[in-house]
Amino acid sequence: MPRTVITLALLAAISPIAVPTLAQSDNPGRQVHWKFHAGDVTGGHRMLFDDSSWETVRCGYKWKCQGYAWFRAAITIPEMLDDKPTAGQPIGMKWSNPGGEVYVNGRLQSRYDNDHPALILLTERAHPGQTVSVAVRTFMGLADHSEGEGELSESDLVFVDPKRVHETFPIAVDCGKSLGKLLQPFGGVSQGGGMPDYSPETAAKLKEIGVKWFRMDNVLTNVARKKDDGSIYYDWEEFDRRVDFIRSIGAEPILCISYMPEALEAFQNTDRHARPRDWKEWEDLVYAAVRRCNVERKAYVKYWEVWNESNAGWIIPAPGEDLLETYLKLYDACARGVKRADPKAWIGGPCNAAGPWNSDKGSAFIRGEDFMRGLMAHCEKTGTPLDFITWHEYFHPWWTIKDEAETTRRYLRDYPNVKKQVKEFILTEWSYAWWNDRPHDHELGAAWAAASVVRGMIPSGLDKTCYFLAKDGDESFRGGWGMLMGGNKPKAVANVCRMFNMLAPRRIALTGEDDELAGVASFDPKTGRVTVLIVNFADRYGVRRDITLSMSNLPAQVRGGVCRRYLVDKDHSNIWNNRDRSELEVVETLPVGKSGMFAHTFRLECNAVTLLEFVQRKHE
């Protein structure tokens, strides 16, 4: 799916800060002249760095280079902005180009990309005539050092809402108000094409993160093989290794029945996307796989998902056969094989790419509703079982994920027999982007993921989600999807996943959120442990926020105990920022009084996630 193009009119509708018109953008009081350098430099963020030899550019400048580029400016705060005095007001700058990190007066302030542009906070209380040093390191291309294209599309001075800068935002948690079981969808991972390794160390790290379910596709591709005489035999070595690895983590396997072994394909396709040459032959392979797990080896697999992103063309029909028709035949054969081997095992699909809607915007979107409704209608008519429903989503904001779940539930109302069967909704792949992108490696992608869970997945009632990908195969910062890098070092998103998996099981009331701040709170009735997770993420123009968390009716078990605060942000628990500080960090340990009340004020940088954990002192 292409990068989002957002117009000024749309920005004005969704942004809390006024967007300058094109005429205003030409106003020299709003615009800044920048020093520009194509390529990386050491010390480019420092205030006294000599950039006198650099090119002078302004907003609208375009360039190409590899690796990195730098912008620098000494910005003088004007007396007037938009015909209003600046004195005493918070002044910022809207900044957008391909993505990077912002330094103000030599200190790192935030990271951003062109879909989530930065609001550079220049001063909390302006003094006209004061000078602020700004340096921006822009990310170009990825680890392969490919050439990237860039455009400085925004660098306008703006007023920042004083409430966001000067006021402390209240968040209140009432531990005495239970809201039932807390859905914990950020417990799963997904891996396509197998793991880079199946070592005990990797399994132990994923277990430490708290992975509760693990979805793998491409599991049958190499099972069916052909002898010299043309007969078929099954080779289970790779298949067994995958299942055993997932079980060694203590996770629930979700196996995506895919792809087509060369020995069974109807026609040659090197991507292994061909339909089977014989549906009974394919059914027998599925039967054998389920029986091997659930009967012969006692390595039980409950979830069997039919194929991967068929609506995007990842199954190729026979000539003259409709794509959906091919998928439904495939689904039927899989369902027969699964239920014949184990009637209690679950079968699900359609594993759509990009949700339940039809669209003409490209293959990743095409025929989403056709496949979602088509599978429901087919199962309603034929009685073929449908135990769980799956789809994928990348890049889109939390409200899209929420809408996808609500739309799918609305479809189900038209198929009452199927609705009675469906037990779970599972997002079997999701991530910040379906392409390699820098935020996968640092806190921006991690905060995006946290906001997606808190605002979209939990409220929409998703039962499980599987973050793509479990592990990259190397230690390079290349925008890879993996939670883990080579060497099993966690990225920021892995630490956020761990925070969610640390949440206690019963949800309790939390009040206080706005366009940037959101949270969820829970407690454990057995131990009294209380957890509160708060994320600061704005889809556009985020800024650091001060928060006062007030707790009431703390359980008796944690009164007189301690509160530990974990943090993932630009500086903490973030391998991009510091390879030697990649693990989840505790930044504060606070005493908890015996009154049942607790209050604490702290700052949360933009693109940050924090977890406060209240425990008995003996656990400290």
Side-chain angles (χ1 to χ4, degrees):
M1 52 194 81
R3 290 281 194 180
T4 303
V5 178
I6 300 184
T7 65
L8 289 173
L10 178 56
L11 281 177
I14 66 174
S15 174
I17 303 169
V19 177
T21 65
L22 292 176
Q24 288 172 318
S25 295
D26 291 333
N27 184 340
R30 302 184 65 100
Q31 281 290 328
V32 175
H33 288 82
W34 296 87
K35 289 289 191 175
F36 172 79
H37 175 79
D40 207 4
V41 294
T42 301
H45 65 287
R46 299 192 183 105
M47 294 176 64
L48 299 180
F49 181 87
D50 182 7
D51 56 21
S52 59
S53 63
W54 291 11
E55 182 180 3
T56 300
V57 301
R58 61 178 296 175
C59 192
Y61 179 74
K62 298 180 180 180
W63 74 97
K64 295 181 180 180
C65 71
Q66 297 177 345
Y68 301 90
W70 279 87
F71 290 85
R72 289 175 52 86
I75 299 170
T76 300
I77 303 299
E79 291 188 7
M80 304 291 290
L81 189 61
D82 293 339
D83 298 322
K84 299 176 183 178
T86 62
Q89 298 298 312
I91 302 298
M93 170 181 287
K94 286 185 172 182
W95 176 270
S96 183
N97 65 16
E101 50 197 14
V102 174
Y103 296 85
V104 176
N105 291 332
R107 298 187 64 180
L108 176 65
Q109 185 176 100
S110 66
R111 295 186 177 93
Y112 68 96
D113 76 353
N114 68 330
D115 295 308
H116 305 91
L119 176 61
I120 305 173
L121 183 60
L122 300 174
T123 176
E124 296 183 7
R125 299 183 188 275
H127 298 284
Q130 75 181 102
T131 300
V132 181
S133 173
V134 174
V136 181
R137 186 190 191 212
T138 296
F139 305 152
M140 306 296 299
L142 295 170
D144 60 359
H145 302 294
S146 58
E147 185 174 69
E149 298 183 4
E151 178 180 358
L152 178 53
S153 54
E154 273 189 303
S155 64
D156 289 329
L157 297 178
V158 293
F159 287 100
V160 181
D161 182 357
K163 291 182 178 180
R164 299 166 70 201
V165 176
H166 297 152
E167 296 185 9
T168 300
F169 188 82
I171 295 178
V173 173
D174 184 351
C175 302
K177 189 173 181 181
S178 177
L179 302 178
K181 180 182 177 181
L182 173 65
L183 291 174
Q184 295 179 301
F186 201 178
V189 293
S190 182
Q191 190 86 11
M195 293 289 292
D197 66 81
Y198 296 87
S199 69
E201 293 78 14
T202 298
K205 194 64 182 180
L206 292 169
K207 187 172 185 177
E208 179 184 298
I209 291 169
V211 172
K212 296 178 176 64
W213 43 86
F214 198 130
R215 184 256 191 182
M216 274 198 185
D217 65 23
N218 206 34
V219 295
L220 296 183
T221 311
N222 298 312
V223 170
R225 298 179 179 273
K226 188 181 295 185
K227 296 181 180 179
D228 291 340
D229 63 4
S231 61
I232 301 298
Y233 73 99
Y234 297 151
D235 180 352
W236 297 108
E237 181 179 1
E238 175 69 12
F239 179 85
D240 289 347
R241 182 165 63 160
R242 295 189 187 201
V243 174
D244 291 346
F245 177 78
I246 296 171
R247 283 299 181 195
S248 72
I249 299 168
E252 177 95 49
I254 301 172
L255 297 189
C256 178
I257 304 172
S258 60
Y259 290 111
M260 191 56 55
E262 183 178 4
L264 303 186
E265 63 186 0
F267 43 83
Q268 187 175 12
N269 178 264
T270 56
D271 292 326
R272 309 271 64 84
H273 293 168
R275 58 160 284 176
R277 64 186 184 184
D278 181 273
W279 293 111
K280 182 61 168 61
E281 194 174 44
W282 174 252
E283 175 190 328
D284 288 344
L285 172 58
V286 174
Y287 165 82
V290 178
R291 181 174 174 79
R292 182 165 183 82
C293 292
N294 295 8
V295 179
E296 296 171 1
R297 301 185 70 239
K298 308 299 182 185
Y300 196 81
V301 176
K302 179 179 180 179
Y303 297 88
W304 297 85
E305 181 186 35
V306 179
W307 214 255
N308 184 67
E309 299 189 355
S310 297
N311 68 309
W314 284 43
I315 182 74
I316 301 176
E321 188 175 62
D322 178 71
L323 183 63
L324 176 56
E325 180 185 354
T326 298
Y327 178 75
L328 294 177
K329 289 179 180 179
L330 184 78
Y331 187 91
D332 284 347
C334 291
R336 290 192 299 268
V338 169
K339 296 296 184 177
R340 179 157 60 97
D342 181 1
K344 294 182 179 179
W346 288 8
I347 186 82
C351 190
N352 274 357
W357 301 298
N358 289 341
S359 174
D360 58 359
K361 294 182 179 179
S363 62
F365 296 88
I366 199 166
R367 301 191 68 181
E369 182 175 355
D370 290 351
F371 270 69
M372 191 67 78
R373 280 192 177 274
L375 180 59
M376 293 175 183
H378 176 74
C379 293
E380 182 80 11
K381 179 180 179 180
T382 64
T384 303
L386 179 59
D387 296 303
F388 60 97
I389 290 176
T390 67
W391 70 94
H392 296 169
E393 189 52 85
Y394 288 81
F395 171 69
H396 282 80
W398 62 265
W399 53 85
T400 298
I401 295 172
K402 190 169 184 286
D403 195 10
E404 287 171 346
E406 292 170 350
T407 298
T408 302
R409 282 198 175 87
R410 189 170 65 250
Y411 292 169
L412 268 178
R413 296 174 194 160
D414 296 334
Y415 312 99
N417 293 325
V418 173
K419 182 180 178 182
K420 293 175 185 177
Q421 296 177 33
V422 172
K423 304 168 188 69
E424 291 185 3
F425 280 14
I426 306 177
L427 199 60
T428 48
E429 285 185 21
W430 70 282
S431 187
Y432 178 84
W434 53 264
W435 57 89
N436 288 348
D437 207 342
R438 293 287 189 189
H440 287 138
D441 292 336
H442 58 66
E443 78 282 355
L444 175 56
W448 175 90
S452 297
V453 175
V454 171
R455 294 187 187 270
M457 297 176 189
I458 292 176
S460 65
L462 283 176
D463 298 282
K464 293 179 174 66
T465 69
C466 302
Y467 183 88
F468 192 88
L469 186 77
K471 184 176 180 177
D472 291 333
D474 56 40
E475 297 187 21
S476 65
F477 291 124
R478 54 183 174 82
W481 298 287
M483 277 191 183
L484 298 179
M485 300 186 77
N488 293 316
K489 288 193 173 184
K491 296 183 186 178
V493 71
N495 289 321
V496 167
C497 178
R498 185 175 179 182
M499 285 183 182
F500 275 96
N501 291 327
M502 291 169 64
L503 289 173
R506 306 295 294 181
R507 192 171 185 179
I508 51 180
L510 180 148
T511 55
E513 69 173 44
D514 61 15
D515 291 341
E516 292 170 304
L517 298 172
V520 63
S522 59
F523 87 109
D524 187 338
K526 295 180 180 179
T527 65
R529 190 173 72 98
V530 176
T531 51
V532 183
L533 186 145
I534 301 170
V535 56
N536 179 12
F537 174 80
D539 202 56
R540 305 178 69 79
Y541 310 118
V543 69
R544 95 291 178 278
R545 300 291 297 277
D546 292 326
I547 298 165
T548 294
L549 174 65
S550 300
M551 310 287 296
S552 61
N553 296 311
L554 283 166
Q557 298 100 309
V558 300
R559 298 182 188 184
V562 295
C563 170
R564 291 190 289 258
R565 189 164 78 87
Y566 303 83
L567 181 62
V568 174
D569 68 3
K570 62 185 178 65
D571 299 309
H572 301 89
S573 316
N574 189 344
I575 194 170
W576 173 274
N577 193 65
N578 187 334
R579 284 185 181 268
D580 296 326
R581 292 179 61 188
S582 64
E583 299 294 337
L584 182 60
E585 297 181 47
V586 175
V587 294
E588 293 183 285
T589 301
L590 307 164
V592 177
K594 297 184 178 181
S595 66
M597 310 291 286
F598 176 89
H600 182 52
T601 298
F602 55 90
R603 176 164 289 181
L604 203 57
E605 301 291 341
C606 64
N607 305 323
V609 188
T610 193
L611 174 71
L612 292 94
E613 181 185 36
F614 297 80
V615 297
Q616 302 173 43
R617 184 167 290 278
K618 67 180 181 180
H619 292 163
E620 172 59 13

